[in-house]
Amino acid sequence: MARTINLSLFLLFISWIPYLTTSFPLSTKSRWIVDEKGQRVKLACVNWPAHLQPVVAEGLSKQPLDSISKKIVSMGFNCVRLTWPLDLMTNDTLALKITVKQSFESLNLFDDVLGIQTHNPKILNLPIFNAYQEVVSNLGQNGLMVILDNHLTYPGWCCSDNDLDAFFGYPNFDPAVWAKGLSKMATLFRNVTNVIGMSLRNEPRGKRDYPDLWFRFMPKGAEAVHAANPKVLVILSGIDFDTNLSFLRDRFFNVSFTDKLVFEQHWYSFSHEGNTWVKHNSNDNCAQISGRVTHSGGFLLDRGFPLILSEFGTDERGVDVNGNRYMNCLVAWAAEKDLDWAVWALTGDYYLRTGTKHMGETYGLLDASWKNVRNSTYLQKLSGIQQPLRGPGLQDKKLILHPHTGLCVTNSHSGNVPTLRLELCTKSEPSTFNPKEGIVWINKMCVEAPDVAGQKVKLGVGTKCSKLGQISATKMHMSFKTSNGLLLCLDVDERDNSIVANPCKCLTKDASCDPASQWFKVL
């Protein structure tokens, strides 16, 4: 594994990244989300669950609300996808007559009552909905935008094919009640400026998730939200656990508005064939699956619609080879598309999940203390896709990303002879690569590849530029031939993040080989 940038310096740096001053409300311009001035705003969000049985944002028994909000900012995010159950809007008893304290006590979560009394006494005796409002308000006070995500009908864990609220017309998914609940939620947050979007329903699925019902009811939900709050973005999920929007290829979506319409898609390692990432060669698998993701939803970007990758993530303990390989591929794809996204999840642990108290969330960015980053390497990987590369009002950024680390290629500026190394993408110099020319340029200096494996890759002034090719199915291996015909590829020396030349690996069908250190994505 390549060297991780010092965590304290990394968090300090990204927490001070100068996000563009956003002028609300947001709208759309072709495939981009833009502010009131027409300048692109890239949503780099984290999911914060508040839809489970207590119906309170997770973690508030562990840390003060303001500390959690500030932690989100310190990790480089500018947005939260905050979940909620429809019951919060259709059951006034739950929303307005049950307090936070009563909700936890009814579930025998007495330790959490004491924790909230200690860390967030302000919300303990508030009705459930008012506590939800407090979370949204505090996120706004810390400069964080919010997407309100209707995750399911009744409080609990989601999702499976057998859920009674899986799709329109299921026993617990009445489309009319749903549209009414969306309208009420949109109305209640109409004047809250940091609420910039509403996601209509999380992961439609099941035996009835065919497009006809989707086309019948999804526009009604969209119109209900827009009528109640014309300022917010209206975000629509696909079918098959929100992995499939391909039915929009040949059928137009009719609503009365266009400049607020956004689509969302999910992609996990298990979204496709089981353990496919360990069963198949990573180069071929990444090319095939990322192509399928593009076909299923990514194509909307080319059709002029914004697309949010609103759920993705993996086990951060580092033990899931399948998930690790998937994440390298996903980061490369997300960087290439430069799309908006929301990682699953912020959660260190859950108050109560499927009957288990304080179940840990291995996909969570925070550990069970809700104070510390669970995996700094994982967070650094995400940093590579947090910043916008192009769009209205922005100057295009040309970079070469190393998806495995989330860092970018730049000039080392050390020693007498310049060499390449990895650095935070926000601090990296512009890099360009023209496949026809085959030359990598960094600030008017070109790559001069060594003639011997294991040596650092140098930069020169143009007299000895090396011609590189993009090989393998992913086109992420950057290769060249030495004077004696040996095929070498750019690689990373994990000791100091310098770029070296090594024999190209994983070009065969060997499923056990991991090419991640040699993957470089030209952006």
Side-chain angles (χ1 to χ4, degrees), residues 50-170:
H51 65 276
L52 279 81
Q53 284 176 277
V55 201
V56 175
E58 302 291 336
L60 298 182
S61 64
K62 296 290 186 73
Q63 295 295 329
L65 170 57
D66 193 61
S67 296
I68 295 175
S69 294
K70 285 180 167 56
K71 190 68 175 181
I72 294 170
V73 175
S74 77
M75 293 188 291
F77 299 98
N78 63 0
C79 163
V80 169
R81 182 177 181 250
L82 187 66
T83 66
W84 61 282
L86 188 66
D87 205 32
L88 188 63
M89 288 294 100
T90 58
N91 181 351
D92 285 345
T93 299
L94 171 66
L96 302 175
K97 296 182 180 179
I98 295 176
T99 66
V100 170
K101 184 172 185 287
Q102 290 169 338
S103 177
F104 280 92
E105 288 179 341
S106 71
L107 297 166
N108 295 318
L109 299 174
F110 300 107
D111 289 346
D112 288 300
V113 172
L114 294 175
I116 293 173
Q117 176 67 58
T118 300
H119 298 293
N120 293 286
K122 180 180 178 180
I123 72 164
L124 187 61
N125 293 305
L126 288 180
I128 292 294
F129 178 67
N130 296 130
Y132 190 92
Q133 288 177 307
E134 285 292 323
V135 173
V136 173
S137 176
N138 188 267
L139 291 170
Q141 291 166 21
N142 283 281
L144 289 163
M145 296 175 281
V146 174
I147 294 171
L148 304 177
D149 167 60
N150 176 225
H151 215 69
L152 71 183
T153 299
Y154 296 113
W157 183 246
C158 177
C159 300
S160 75
D161 276 320
N162 299 322
D163 293 335
L164 296 179
D165 62 351
F167 203 68
F168 300 112
Y170 273 45

Side-chain angles (χ1 to χ4, degrees), residues 43-51 72 77-84 132 139 144-152 159 196-204 235-237 241-242 264-266 268 308-312 341-347:
L43 303 179
C45 315
V46 62
N47 281 276
W48 190 353
H51 65 276
I72 294 170
F77 299 98
N78 63 0
C79 163
V80 169
R81 182 177 181 250
L82 187 66
T83 66
W84 61 282
Y132 190 92
L139 291 170
L144 289 163
M145 296 175 281
V146 174
I147 294 171
L148 304 177
D149 167 60
N150 176 225
H151 215 69
L152 71 183
C159 300
I196 53 89
M198 286 188 59
S199 175
L200 302 190
R201 189 68 169 198
N202 180 68
E203 297 193 350
I235 305 169
L236 282 67
S237 302
F241 292 85
D242 197 17
E264 63 179 315
Q265 184 176 14
H266 293 179
Y268 287 103
I308 301 175
L309 186 65
S310 58
E311 280 192 31
F312 66 93
W341 52 267
V343 65
W344 187 275
L346 179 67
T347 327

